Amino acid sequence: MGIPVGAFLALVVGAVGVYGTQTVLHATSTDAFCMTCHSNHSLKDEVMASSHGNNSVGITVTCAQCHLPPGGFEYLVKKIIVSKDIIGYMTIDGFNTQEWLEANRKEQAELARDYLRSIDSRTCTSCHSNIYENQPESMKKVAKKMHAMNFKKAEDKRKTCIDCHKGVAHPYPKG
């Protein structure tokens, strides 16, 4: 007795669906894709001028590394949420201009800040995993002390990365 045709077709369709979804998710997480809608903004130049793009170890952080949570269901949910940029690109007059970015920078920065707070800056700690333990020798003493003091607090009292490190990749608006 073999596998029923319906079950076999369901398996094939399911496998193609999973593969297709993963392919689309990865393709739409590249800097090249992000720059499709943000090509006339200074965002890429800002990152390249920051320690996340211009550093002694030669690491350049991608858009997705900061703006998308690492893996899982949260990744898929955030991809759906950021699809608003595609809608904005198509419907908001001047969306892909530096003028629009500057006029909306504070609101956009606050959205990014609130998002990073909501995930306890996991996008930061996915790379900077040694901020509490095994801190690098190059880390300044005051930074080591501040991180250690923060880590000793109860979880609900701790600050998250974005609370102290605003503007590390893009200028944070004043005021």
Side-chain angles (χ1 to χ4, degrees), residues 6 16 24 29 35 40 42 45 51 64 71 84 89 92 98 101 105 115 126 137 152 169:
V16 169
V24 168
S29 295
M35 289 301 111
N40 293 322
S42 60
D45 293 337
S51 60
K84 72 175 176 40
Y89 179 78
I92 297 172
Q98 189 64 26
L101 175 64
R105 188 181 287 271
Y115 168 69
S126 67
E137 291 296 319
K152 289 177 184 174

Side-chain angles (χ1 to χ4, degrees), residues 22 25-26 29 61-79 115-129 161:
Q22 289 299 310
L25 287 173
H26 290 293
S29 295
V61 179
T62 66
C63 302
Q65 286 176 294
C66 290
H67 293 277
L68 295 172
F73 183 70
E74 287 179 311
Y75 176 85
L76 180 59
V77 169
K78 186 62 175 173
K79 289 293 287 182
Y115 168 69
L116 287 171
R117 281 182 179 156
S118 77
I119 63 166
D120 193 23
S121 296
R122 280 195 313 276
T123 57
C124 304
T125 56
S126 67
C127 292
H128 299 282
S129 58
C161 303

Side-chain angles (χ1 to χ4, degrees), residues 1 4 14 29 33 52 59 80 121-122 125 138-139 144 165:
M1 199 169 166
S29 295
F33 183 82
H52 282 90
I59 294 172
I80 293 167
S121 296
R122 280 195 313 276
T125 56
S138 60
M139 189 180 224
K144 287 182 181 187
H165 298 279

Side-chain angles (χ1 to χ4, degrees), residues 19 34 68 72:
Y19 176 78
C34 295
L68 295 172

Side-chain angles (χ1 to χ4, degrees), residues 4-73:
V5 174
F8 177 74
L9 286 175
L11 284 171
V12 170
V13 168
V16 169
V18 168
Y19 176 78
T21 299
Q22 289 299 310
T23 301
V24 168
L25 287 173
H26 290 293
T28 60
S29 295
T30 64
D31 283 358
F33 183 82
C34 295
M35 289 301 111
T36 302
C37 296
H38 298 288
S39 60
N40 293 322
H41 296 156
S42 60
L43 298 171
K44 183 74 170 172
D45 293 337
E46 293 166 7
V47 171
M48 295 310 290
S50 78
S51 60
H52 282 90
N54 183 18
N55 54 61
S56 61
V57 291
I59 294 172
T60 300
V61 179
T62 66
C63 302
Q65 286 176 294
C66 290
H67 293 277
L68 295 172
F73 183 70

